[in-house]
Amino acid sequence: MKEHIFLASPHMSEEGYEQAYIKEAFDTNWIAPLGKNVTEFEKEMAAKLGAKAAVALSAGTAAIHMALKAVGVGQGDLVFCQDLTFSATANPILYEKAVPVFIDSNEETWNMDPQALRQAFEKYGKLGRKPKAVLAVHLYGLCAQIEEIADICKEQQVPLIEDAAESLGTTWQGRYTGTFGDYGIISFNGNKIITSSGGGMLLVNTPDAQEKAAKVLYWSTQAREPARWYQHTEIGYNYRMSNIVAGIGRGQLKVLEQRVGEKRAIFSYYQQHLGGLPGVCFMPMREGSQSNCWLSCVQLADSCPVKPLDIMKALEEDDVESRPIWKPMHLQPVFAGYDFIPAGGLERKMLQVTDTEMGADSSVSGQLFEHGVCLPSDTKMTSGDLERICGVVGALWRA
């Protein structure tokens, strides 16, 4: 019986770094959301990535929420948000009763299109409105055109939040994603390149980083005032990371570079063994960036005889996980009615539905969704596993 192959699953260090930190937490009885592992994990992550400060939280989603609060997003405010992403990027905008405006991607990066972002500023500027924040994403470990996006935000004097949940270890011109904006988001969910079983971290890069980080820490620990009794003047949240979870994260951080190398090797294997199939195109690798290749993703041309669903079904029958590219936010029922700024200056009403079952349309993000497949990218896969996957996929072209 064949073994199940995961899309991406936790991979603990062979050296047992995580267990050593967890044991120390148990031995000292520091297992709550405070302790040496929490504070050291923050320091180590900030030092590794070059951030001014970091706050360890219960999830990457919590980190996005805290970033939005830190820049002052509130009821009725606009947030320009990347369209092609997981819903956790956009959900916290609604937590604060703000209004998302979704920005299309470009084919060069699969991430926020700077020209569409400019169009959004122009459109809402004519209405006398400016967003409280821009929320960009580094999808699947692919670096967005982050310098161009950051320059636009500086011109407009609007804070930039980077959702680097999927791109830990990715660099642009030698600088880590998550450190170009005012705030950066890291996720340690079980499927991420390193995991603490859950959890996330907020990177703070503002001039007053220490003060902002302290405010986030205050909010994330129920906004308790420094009084003898429990006193609260603001609404707080139970968002702090536990010392046990932080211990796992500290151990995982020691093998980050190793995991990046393994992910990139998986991507190279797929390129070598599937790249010659007619109609197959891989996610873009930009010169000047080193992607962590969190997931290895492909696009299938319209003319391709094989469709994404064919690949996913064939792999599923062989007990192998895969999945579609993220369905864009502007196509999600929960976000119906919110504005969408497509790349190329098209009006949304002109976008034609191309797949009635999936609900895809002719926007760049819609087409990436319709034609994309995320291939298994688990760092514990063997060469035999990769050969098996490529055999299943390649057989579809020979059928």
Side-chain angles (χ1 to χ4, degrees), residues 213-225 232-234 236:
K215 187 66 174 181
V216 168
L217 177 59
Y218 164 78
W219 284 327
S220 65
T221 51
Q222 300 289 17
R224 181 183 174 186
E225 296 293 333
H232 308 272
T233 59
E234 295 185 54

Side-chain angles (χ1 to χ4, degrees), residues 98-316:
V99 180
V101 174
F102 296 114
I103 311 297
D104 204 357
S105 292
N106 58 31
E107 295 175 350
E108 292 77 17
T109 66
W110 292 15
N111 288 302
M112 182 180 285
D113 179 47
Q115 295 309 311
L117 178 61
R118 284 194 182 277
Q119 291 164 14
F121 274 109
E122 291 170 3
K123 175 177 180 176
Y124 282 90
K126 292 176 182 178
L127 300 174
R129 302 194 66 187
K130 180 183 285 191
K132 274 292 184 73
V134 170
L135 183 46
V137 183
H138 302 288
L139 198 72
Y140 300 124
L142 301 173
C143 185
Q145 288 175 261
I146 194 61
E147 287 187 330
E148 293 92 329
I149 293 169
D151 286 344
I152 293 170
C153 290
K154 288 176 183 176
E155 291 170 13
Q156 298 290 332
Q157 297 183 318
V158 171
L160 171 60
I161 301 170
E162 288 178 80
D163 183 348
E166 300 173 3
S167 68
L168 179 59
T170 293
T171 60
W172 170 253
Q173 302 292 357
R175 183 175 170 184
Y176 285 103
T177 55
T179 65
F180 291 85
D182 299 276
Y183 296 90
I185 312 302
I186 304 296
S187 171
F188 307 112
N189 191 34
N191 62 1
K192 296 302 186 290
I193 191 161
I194 63 171
T195 181
S196 54
S197 78
M201 195 167 289
L202 179 64
L203 307 177
V204 188
N205 305 304
T206 60
D208 58 346
Q210 298 305 321
E211 291 83 354
K212 290 293 189 184
K215 187 66 174 181
V216 168
L217 177 59
Y218 164 78
W219 284 327
S220 65
T221 51
Q222 300 289 17
R224 181 183 174 186
E225 296 293 333
R228 183 179 296 275
W229 49 88
Y230 288 92
Q231 179 147 314
H232 308 272
T233 59
E234 295 185 54
I235 296 297
Y237 306 87
N238 186 18
Y239 279 170
R240 193 67 164 139
M241 180 182 285
S242 84
N243 204 43
I244 298 296
V245 168
I248 301 173
R250 291 183 73 191
Q252 286 273 283
L253 186 56
K254 291 180 178 293
V255 296
L256 173 60
E257 299 304 326
Q258 180 181 338
R259 297 291 176 262
V260 171
E262 291 163 347
K263 291 281 192 178
R264 289 175 64 83
I266 291 168
F267 180 75
S268 295
Y269 188 99
Y270 285 138
Q271 279 187 309
Q272 181 180 352
H273 291 83
L274 300 178
L277 297 175
V280 174
C281 179
F282 283 83
M283 61 189 192
M285 295 289 123
R286 294 172 63 209
E287 185 177 353
S289 176
Q290 175 166 301
S291 172
N292 70 0
C293 296
W294 172 58
L295 293 184
S296 291
C297 306
V298 297
Q299 286 280 299
L300 303 182
D302 279 325
S303 59
C304 186
V306 176
K307 303 304 177 185
L309 190 58
D310 297 330
I311 292 177
M312 288 182 275
K313 285 183 175 179
L315 289 173
E316 185 177 358

Side-chain angles (χ1 to χ4, degrees), residues 1 10 27-28 60 89 95 138 144 188 230 372 380 397-398:
M1 189 171 180
D27 289 347
T28 58
T89 303
Y95 296 171
H138 302 288
F188 307 112
Y230 288 92
K380 299 184 301 301
W397 270 259
R398 298 188 295 270

